[in-house]
Amino acid sequence: MLDIVIESRQAVISPGFSVKRILPFQLRRMVGPFIFMDHGGPISVPATTNLDVLPHPHIGLSTVSYLLKGNVTHRDSLGVEQIIKPGEANWMNAGKGIAHSERFEDPAILAAGGLEMIQTWVALPEKDEESDPSFKNYTAEELPIFTEKGVWMRLIAGNAFGLTSHVKTNSPLFYLHVVLDQGARFGLPKEHSERGVYIVKGSVELNGGSYTEGKLLVFSRGVDPVMIAKEATTLMMLGGEHLGDRYIWWNFVSSRKERIEQAKEDWKQGRILLPPTDNAEFVPLPVDKSRPAGGPPPGGPAFGGPAPEALS
């Protein structure tokens, strides 16, 4: 029933800000088009703590920022400045190249209510890898919600359980925020071939086994499992159709190794523009001689590239 269980690992994305890194994983690089997943928080920090992620570049993917607590200010090369709030979908298509920053500019919120954030990357189909970059904020009120006894669910993107989100995507996928009361039962959407469930908080029972927070459960094709919440539990569910293998190095994703090499040089030479309202500092290209990781997940090369300084 389970293809693999992935245990999150700690990663540092800025001084003082560590996250749980879930994807990519050596034995399972992607779930559907999702190639990256970080869980930041929950944390409450003193007002003097700086968690900012400086301007950094992306190509070949869409970033999806989803907050459970707190807020963050997004700025990018297009001149977009957006305060991201809990429950919203913030979809940035990097396409042929964009830079953005994430600033935590309200220390009172961080100190009082804390911060909890899920960030994913969605690989783009080859035909869209060189598309023009874009950013779109979807408010919580724009996203479909379903409730029944013991279950609350928000469809962030794609389609699942008969619901469809208006968030614009480039390939078939689903992305869900699910909250379960103790004892509630919940299954997987049948519309998609690749499906994963990340346990943000709490625990679930599945086929006689128990799985706790910080784990991503990836399910085999065609199975129809039922999870039972052993306590109050929060899940992020994601997946879709596989796009083919991708190479990943630092913040760059592509179907072609040579495109990542070009992106490295573009960032070094300033050809990927900084956000016009946040251009006084940036994350330099890491010094590393490793080649982009890629190829078939089982038995392929280990996940390569430097320890990312700003993967978000």
Side-chain angles (χ1 to χ4, degrees), residues 6 22-37 242 245-248 292-304:
I6 297 173
I22 303 108
L23 289 174
F25 184 66
Q26 181 177 347
L27 298 179
R28 184 71 189 229
R29 298 183 186 282
M30 301 171 69
V31 179
F34 289 85
I35 195 168
F36 178 91
M37 186 177 194
H242 190 58
D245 295 327
R246 290 293 186 272
Y247 298 100
I248 179 170
F303 174 63

Side-chain angles (χ1 to χ4, degrees), residues 81-92:
E81 185 168 324
Q82 177 71 48
I83 296 177
I84 298 173
K85 300 175 183 177
E88 299 179 343
N90 293 270
W91 200 282
M92 185 181 77

Side-chain angles (χ1 to χ4, degrees), residues 183-202:
R185 302 166 70 90
F186 202 74
L188 295 176
K190 300 177 182 179
E191 298 94 326
H192 303 278
S193 61
E194 298 193 8
R195 300 163 298 170
V197 176
Y198 175 67
I199 305 171
V200 176
K201 181 178 70 175

Side-chain angles (χ1 to χ4, degrees), residues 1-300:
M1 180 176 290
L2 277 172
D3 184 28
I4 191 172
V5 177
I6 297 173
E7 185 83 44
S8 60
R9 296 90 62 201
Q10 187 179 63
V12 178
I13 62 171
S14 67
F17 190 13
S18 295
V19 300
K20 300 181 183 78
R21 178 144 302 152
I22 303 108
L23 289 174
F25 184 66
Q26 181 177 347
L27 298 179
R28 184 71 189 229
R29 298 183 186 282
M30 301 171 69
V31 179
F34 289 85
I35 195 168
F36 178 91
M37 186 177 194
D38 265 2
H39 175 197
I43 55 173
S44 294
V45 297
T48 55
T49 303
N50 183 3
L51 301 180
D52 290 348
V53 180
L54 302 183
H56 57 278
H58 292 288
I59 66 161
L61 56 90
S62 295
T63 67
V64 187
S65 301
Y66 186 80
L67 280 174
L68 299 171
K69 293 180 182 178
N71 68 36
V72 60
T73 301
H74 162 100
R75 295 183 178 89
D76 64 38
S77 303
L78 303 174
V80 173
E81 185 168 324
Q82 177 71 48
I83 296 177
I84 298 173
K85 300 175 183 177
E88 299 179 343
N90 293 270
W91 200 282
M92 185 181 77
N93 173 31
K96 61 187 177 183
I98 196 170
H100 77 130
S101 64
E102 289 169 330
R103 302 277 188 177
F104 301 91
E105 297 179 334
D106 193 338
I109 287 180
L110 288 178
L115 168 73
E116 189 165 13
M117 181 177 185
I118 306 290
Q119 179 129 127
T120 55
W121 296 354
V122 179
L124 292 171
E126 289 187 40
K127 66 180 180 60
D128 296 321
E129 286 184 320
E130 298 301 320
S131 59
D132 290 333
S134 62
F135 178 90
K136 175 69 174 174
N137 168 268
Y138 299 86
T139 65
E141 292 73 24
E142 294 178 82
L143 306 178
I145 287 178
F146 169 81
T147 60
E148 64 178 22
K149 186 177 180 181
V151 175
W152 177 94
M153 178 185 80
R154 174 182 284 129
L155 179 61
I156 301 167
N159 66 293
F161 302 114
L163 299 177
T164 300
S165 170
H166 296 299
V167 171
K168 185 179 183 299
T169 64
N170 296 80
S171 65
L173 58 83
F174 73 97
Y175 190 25
L176 289 160
H177 173 196
V178 179
V179 179
L180 304 175
D181 290 345
Q182 183 177 10
R185 302 166 70 90
F186 202 74
L188 295 176
K190 300 177 182 179
E191 298 94 326
H192 303 278
S193 61
E194 298 193 8
R195 300 163 298 170
V197 176
Y198 175 67
I199 305 171
V200 176
K201 181 178 70 175
S203 57
V204 298
E205 182 181 326
L206 175 69
N207 201 29
S210 181
Y211 302 93
T212 55
E213 62 186 56
K215 292 180 172 62
L216 174 66
L217 315 181
V218 183
F219 292 87
S220 304
R221 294 173 186 263
V223 301
D224 190 19
V226 174
M227 297 171 289
I228 303 171
K230 299 182 67 178
E231 57 191 301
T233 296
T234 300
L235 308 172
M236 301 299 291
M237 303 176 66
L238 73 172
E241 305 310 306
H242 190 58
L243 298 179
D245 295 327
R246 290 293 186 272
Y247 298 100
I248 179 170
W249 190 92
W250 195 40
N251 302 316
F252 305 136
V253 170
S254 180
S255 58
R256 299 177 291 127
K257 283 184 180 180
E258 63 272 16
R259 182 63 181 89
I260 289 181
E261 296 304 315
Q262 178 190 329
K264 292 181 185 180
E265 195 62 25
D266 287 345
W267 185 241
K268 285 167 61 177
Q269 300 301 325
R271 292 192 287 263
I272 300 176
L273 299 180
L274 293 171
T277 57
D278 192 356
N279 57 16
E281 51 187 347
F282 61 90
V283 180
L285 189 78
V287 178
D288 192 278
K289 297 181 180 179
S290 63
R291 295 197 283 180

